[in-house]
């Protein structure tokens, strides 16, 4: 069905209005609804064009047809003042010709407004006079918006609360099941390993009851991996032997036998390929009796206990070595530092008297441990004095002093070695 302006078939009164007309509520109006005005009766439209003497057509904003019983006449000469704002399109009255368009001149229904029920054909009514909107006052307090109308909003159902107790029981059950599986798996693995070990033992040996050898192979017969590192053990070093000087520095430790034969053994003195025949030897407890000058008094004052002498000769020269023995090393050192004069030469056993009657001889003094040793060397003719040019006399005296020192050191070494052996035997 097409909608257009009314034509010859849209005669006024052809489709009378149904029911009592209801004024529509204009959109945007927040005040009380206007008082409904009863619609005027529809005036018969002229069959043709209006004559020149007829009044002009009513403006769109004029009221509708004159209601029944009201006198018909032209509208007032002074039309009402135009509203401040243009009327909405649905407020205009029916167009000239008696219809609003559509079939049979029936007024078109208004579009549905939010929150307003749409009128049915039985309740549809022609539009009433337009409502004059109130001009907007920018200084007025704002209107509170209307509460939303229309159908009730649908409430979305909430998710039900889970059963936490049931979930906890399920988790506990799963944990217990996993624990049982782990325990069962470990037990099964243990039984499997035990069975394998038992099988290997049974297959590799026999029980002792059958009388056969069930011992494991010796370490020598086991296979070795040439690439594997071999353990290394550092040998435990034995404790160092005692210092030999400890045994010759004090009479408490120096217990080895001491005499001219133990200190100067053999018939000669041999040192670095040089040999000197040995002459007479002597040992006295009165240290001063084997000295010359003030040396005897110094030895006795420092506690000398004995004096051992020995003579060696070579090529017309001779040397006598005298070893003074003290209780401690400190006493021997003090006597050596105070020395004056020297030891007396010892002739005999084929060696004539030398270094007597005022002849000049070479003298030395030294000490080691609790021993102080002295030398006197010169010519055996007892006439010549020793000078720095007499190299053979100096060499003879130096070799005798060095030999004496080595013999004292050897005495301490022997005693230290014997003590170390005794300690090892006791510990084992």
């Amino acid at each position: 069905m097409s909608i257009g302006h009314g034509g010859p078939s849209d005669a006024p009164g052809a489709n009378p209005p149904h029911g009592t007309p209801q004024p529509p509520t204009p959109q945007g109006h927040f005040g009380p609804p206007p008082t409904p005005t009863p619609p005027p009766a529809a005036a018969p439209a002229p069959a043709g064009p209006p004559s020149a003497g007829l009044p002009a057509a009513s403006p769109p904003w004029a009221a509708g047809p004159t209601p029944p019983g009201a006198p018909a006449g032209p509208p007032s000469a002074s039309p009402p003042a135009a509203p401040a704002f243009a009327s909405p399109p649905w407020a205009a009255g029916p167009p000239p010709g008696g219809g609003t368009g559509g079939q049979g001149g029936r007024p078109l229904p208004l579009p549905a407004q939010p929150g307003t029920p749409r009128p049915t054909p039985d309740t549809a009514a022609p539009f009433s006079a337009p409502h004059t909107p109130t001009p907007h006052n920018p200084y007025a307090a704002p209107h509170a918006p209307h509460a939303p109308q229309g159908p009730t909003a649908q409430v979305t159902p909430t998710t039900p609360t889970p059963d936490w107790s049931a979930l906890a029981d399920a988790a506990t059950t799963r944990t217990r099941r996993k624990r049982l599986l782990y325990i069962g798996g470990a037990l099964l693995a243990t039984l499997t390993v035990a069975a394998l070990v038992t099988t290997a033992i049974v297959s590799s040996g026999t029980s002792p009851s059958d009388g056969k050898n069930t011992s494991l192979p010796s370490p020598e017969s086991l296979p070795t991996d040439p690439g594997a590192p071999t353990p290394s053990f550092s040998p435990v070093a034995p404790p160092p032997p005692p210092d030999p000087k400890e045994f010759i520095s004090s009479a408490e430790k120096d217990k080895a036998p001491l005499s001219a034969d133990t200190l100067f053994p053999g018939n000669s003195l041999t040192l670095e390929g040089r040999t000197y025949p040995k002459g007479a030897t002597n040992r006295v407890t009165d240290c001063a009796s084997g000295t010359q000058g003030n040396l005897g008094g110094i030895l006795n004052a420092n506690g000398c206990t004995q004096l051992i002498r020995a003579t060696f000769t070579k090529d017309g020269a001779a040397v006598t070595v005298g070893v003074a023995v003290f209780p401690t090393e400190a006493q021997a050192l003090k006597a050596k530092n105070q020395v004056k004069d020297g030891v007396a030469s010892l002739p005999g056993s084929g060696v004539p008297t030398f270094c007597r009657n005022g002849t000049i001889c070479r003298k030395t003094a030294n000490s080691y441990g609790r021993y102080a040793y002295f030398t006197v060397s010169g010519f055996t003719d007892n006439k010549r004095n020793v000078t720095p040019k007499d190299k053979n006399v100096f060499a003879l005296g130096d070799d005798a002093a060095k030999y004496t020192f080595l013999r004292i050191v050897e005495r301490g070494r022997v005693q230290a070695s014997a003590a170390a052996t005794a300690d090892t035997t006791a510990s084992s």
Side-chain angles (χ1 to χ4, degrees):
M1 180 183 63
S2 61
I3 300 176
H5 295 286
S9 62
D10 296 333
N15 296 314
H18 298 276
T20 305
Q22 298 293 331
T25 303
Q27 273 188 334
H29 181 70
F30 298 99
T35 304
T37 305
S51 62
L54 293 177
S58 300
W61 41 263
T66 304
S76 175
S78 324
F85 298 95
S87 300
W90 62 80
T100 59
Q103 186 178 6
R106 181 177 296 178
L108 294 177
L110 292 176
Q113 302 299 323
T116 304
R118 184 168 183 169
T120 59
D122 295 336
T123 61
F127 292 99
S128 62
H131 170 71
T132 302
T134 305
H136 174 67
N137 184 5
Y139 300 100
H143 296 284
H146 288 292
Q149 299 180 2
T152 306
Q154 229 176 1
V155 179
T156 305
T158 58
T159 305
T161 303
D163 190 352
W164 299 109
S165 177
L167 293 177
D169 293 342
T172 305
T173 303
R174 287 195 301 272
T175 304
R176 186 182 300 109
R177 187 181 297 110
K178 289 182 180 179
R179 185 182 297 108
L180 293 177
L181 290 177
Y182 292 154
I183 295 174
L187 181 60
L188 180 61
T190 304
L191 294 177
T192 303
V193 172
L196 292 175
V197 172
T198 304
T199 304
I201 293 175
V202 171
S203 61
S204 61
T206 57
S207 61
S209 60
D210 57 5
K212 296 183 180 180
N213 185 15
T214 59
S215 61
L216 295 176
S218 61
E220 292 78 6
S221 61
L222 293 176
T224 58
D225 184 6
T230 57
S232 61
F233 302 96
S234 59
V236 178
D243 187 3
K245 191 176 181 181
E246 293 180 3
F247 292 88
I248 58 176
S249 297
S250 173
E252 296 178 357
K253 287 189 174 182
D254 191 7
K255 300 298 184 180
L258 180 61
S259 64
D261 292 336
T262 59
L263 193 58
F264 303 106
N267 297 322
S268 61
L269 182 158
T270 302
L271 181 67
E272 298 176 359
R274 298 179 294 273
T275 303
Y276 305 93
K278 184 173 70 171
T281 60
N282 180 268
R283 172 183 178 272
V284 296
T285 56
D286 182 10
C287 299
S289 61
T291 63
Q292 290 179 340
N294 297 326
L295 180 59
I298 295 173
L299 297 180
N300 291 336
N302 287 286
C304 179
T305 58
Q306 57 180 318
L307 179 64
I308 300 173
R309 291 182 297 170
T311 301
F312 302 94
T313 64
K314 187 175 184 181
D315 300 333
V319 60
T320 297
V321 179
V323 179
V325 184
F326 297 88
T328 63
E329 180 181 11
Q331 292 170 310
L333 182 61
K334 183 178 180 180
K336 188 261 299 186
N337 293 334
Q338 295 175 352
V339 68
K340 289 182 181 179
D341 298 329
V343 68
S345 61
L346 179 63
S349 301
V351 179
T353 301
F354 64 98
C355 295
R356 300 287 178 91
N357 301 326
T359 56
I360 299 175
C361 296
R362 182 175 180 255
K363 300 175 182 179
T364 64
N366 212 330
S367 68
Y368 186 76
R370 69 184 189 115
Y371 299 91
Y373 52 95
F374 312 92
T375 65
V376 55
S377 57
F379 294 103
T380 56
D381 59 5
N382 201 25
K383 294 179 180 179
R384 290 180 293 173
N385 296 326
V386 177
T387 65
K389 296 180 181 180
D390 300 323
K391 302 298 182 182
N392 60 330
V393 177
F394 279 83
L396 179 59
D398 291 343
D399 286 348
K402 187 174 182 180
Y403 178 78
T404 303
F405 168 76
L406 293 177
R407 290 302 301 167
I408 296 173
V409 171
E410 179 65 15
R411 179 180 176 86
R413 189 193 65 78
V414 171
Q415 294 184 85
S417 178
T421 303
D423 292 343
T424 304
T425 304
S427 61
S428 61

